[in-house]
Amino acid sequence: MDDVLAIRNLSIAFSTDYGPVHAVRGVSFSVPRNKVVGVVGESGCGKTTVISAAMGLLANNADIEGGEVMFEGRNLLGLSEPELREVRGERITMVFQDPMTAQNPVISIGRQMVDIQYRRRNLNKRQKRDAAIAMLRRVGIPDPETRIDSFPHELSGGMRQRLSIAMALMMHPALLIADEPTTALDVTMEGQIIHLLRELQAELVASVLFVSHNLGLVAELCDEVVVMYAGEVVEKGTCHDIFHRPSHPYTRALLDCDPARVLERTARLPTIPGDLPDLHEPPRGCVFVERCPAALERCAGSPPREHTLGPTHRASCHLLDVGPAARN
Ligand SMILES: Nc1ncnc2c1ncn2[C@@H]1O[C@H](COP(=O)(O)OP(=O)(O)OP(=O)(O)O)[C@@H](O)[C@H]1O
Ligand code: SF4
Ligand SMILES: [Mg+2]
């Protein structure tokens, strides 16, 4: 398999005054070359924690308890900070929910975009500036020759997010990670940014790891989908597998039994009765047992194993133990 990123058996805990929070447990999934993979799940499911680990950007109180994050043949979890810095920002780049996280407010857009290209020793400053203008134009920022000399805060929210994308793609990374990149935007701008990402991904032959609450956007943008619940991957597969043949009760609850609903761009996660389990003490059996309408007796006592349902379709649920007849 030609995977750009492969996360294997990743477990992360945060230390807190009330003891460790076991935020991510045994997470495995990959991002194939030139594909867009979406990670979806309710707030607090561990989406940001997983991708922060991949970028070496975890909070200080995080402890990586096990697993690996393989990228271009190296385990990123074993790299030193200088080695990671080389990967981050060039081979892997990020777009955040709040564009200001990535943009320096007191340095002009042009200077920031020229600085990103510091490794391009064969180009002079003028050429780097021209490359930056071309990229600003490509992401749809009007009048880039003038805009390049302004500051990020002088742009509107949607334009700032376009700028983030331009900066993230400037050095042609192998992987772009986007964590809720459109959550702060209105629906029209959200749609525009998603289309832009899809176009640029195809044009620049990059892989994208896209994290979102919004199943509609995931359905529109992604080739493959990873469903997380309470720190675990409960189901993963192609977009078609997840939206048309969901096999885990949590995925089904998210889809609310009606895939057509979430395919609308504005659809948000429906509310599922109940709360996430307390991750100080994750359940012994299935993580979803307290909210699962289909729970069996064995679900509370033993964790379900991962079942293979198709070439890339996997789900972890005891309902799958007993064969296809019991699945529906
Ligand atoms: N620095 C931290 N210290 C303690 N707990 C943390 C820390 N960061 C995250 N957590 C906890 O880890 C769990 C996973 O959080 P994470 O932010 O990864 O979820 P998420 O899926 O990205 O949620 P959202 O959709 O709201 O962004 C949550 O229970 C959260 O409270
Ligand atoms: S293992 Fe049991 S509790 Fe968990 S999702 Fe499947 S049926 Fe529900
Ligand atoms: Mg998050």
Side-chain angles (χ1 to χ4, degrees):
M1 269 300 276
D2 190 12
D3 292 328
V4 167
L5 184 79
I7 296 176
R8 295 189 197 131
N9 217 8
L10 182 64
S11 294
I12 297 161
F14 291 104
S15 55
T16 72
D17 292 346
Y18 307 97
V21 176
H22 301 279
V24 169
R25 299 177 314 285
V27 163
S28 300
F29 66 87
S30 3
V31 181
R33 196 166 296 282
N34 199 19
K35 296 278 185 208
V36 184
V37 174
V39 180
V40 72
E42 285 164 293
S43 186
C45 280
K47 305 180 297 293
T48 296
T49 305
V50 168
I51 58 161
S52 303
M55 294 289 285
L57 292 175
L58 280 170
N60 290 336
N61 62 334
D63 178 23
I64 298 175
E65 298 181 303
E68 50 186 31
V69 177
M70 299 301 296
F71 175 74
E72 296 187 329
R74 293 195 290 179
N75 181 7
L76 296 183
L77 301 183
L79 298 189
S80 65
E81 187 49 39
E83 285 171 325
L84 257 180
R85 265 202 299 270
E86 266 185 36
V87 176
R88 198 166 58 211
E90 207 160 306
R91 300 302 299 149
I92 305 182
T93 55
M94 279 195 83
V95 175
F96 299 93
Q97 177 176 334
D98 175 7
M100 292 311 249
T101 320
Q103 298 160 3
N104 189 326
V106 297
I107 300 179
S108 74
I109 292 168
R111 165 101 189 271
Q112 292 187 54
M113 292 190 72
V114 166
D115 286 353
I116 291 172
Q117 302 173 69
Y118 73 100
R119 268 180 211 284
R120 291 182 163 165
R121 299 215 172 85
N122 53 329
L123 299 187
N124 63 31
K125 215 169 156 192
R126 178 83 234 171
Q127 289 167 318
K128 288 179 186 172
R129 186 181 156 91
D130 289 345
I133 290 171
M135 189 48 102
L136 291 177
R137 180 173 295 115
R138 180 60 198 89
V139 299
I141 294 184
D143 194 14
E145 290 86 355
T146 312
R147 285 293 169 88
I148 193 163
D149 293 316
S150 53
F151 292 85
H153 69 264
E154 296 177 71
L155 301 182
S156 68
M159 285 298 153
R160 274 208 297 270
Q161 204 52 304
R162 285 175 192 266
L163 171 63
S164 295
I165 293 170
M167 287 169 65
L169 294 175
M170 194 69 225
M171 295 302 285
H172 299 277
L175 177 67
L176 174 73
I177 299 181
D179 189 0
E180 308 269 7
T182 63
T183 304
L185 303 177
D186 68 38
V187 175
T188 315
M189 270 195 271
E190 192 167 49
Q192 288 172 1
I193 295 286
I194 292 303
H195 279 122
L196 179 66
L197 273 176
R198 182 90 243 188
E199 273 171 34
L200 288 172
Q201 179 269 335
E203 199 174 299
L204 301 174
V205 198
S207 304
V208 177
L209 180 55
F210 176 71
V211 176
S212 182
H213 286 93
N214 189 323
L215 287 168
L217 293 181
V218 166
E220 212 169 310
L221 181 66
C222 299
D223 301 298
E224 298 187 7
V225 183
V226 176
V227 182
M228 285 190 70
Y229 181 73
E232 298 180 8
V233 172
V234 295
E235 184 162 2
K236 59 191 169 187
T238 62
C239 220
H240 188 268
D241 292 334
I242 299 301
F243 287 97
H244 295 280
R245 291 188 298 148
S247 297
H248 193 283
Y250 179 62
T251 315
R252 290 186 185 179
L254 288 183
L255 292 169
D256 207 16
C257 306
D258 182 3
R261 263 194 53 187
V262 298
L263 296 177
E264 291 165 29
R265 182 178 296 149
T266 53
R268 300 277 163 179
L269 287 187
T271 328
I272 303 170
D275 295 311
L276 287 175
D278 179 0
L279 296 181
H280 286 99
E281 267 184 75
R284 234 166 18 97
C286 171
V287 272
F288 191 51
V289 67
E290 281 171 29
R291 301 165 81 184
C292 180
L296 309 166
E297 219 168 282
R298 77 190 94 138
C299 297
S302 68
R305 69 177 179 84
E306 188 177 84
H307 292 261
T308 300
L309 307 169
T312 56
H313 192 186
R314 313 264 185 279
S316 301
C317 172
H318 280 303
L319 292 178
L320 303 168
D321 295 346
V322 282
R327 280 176 202 169
N328 297 312

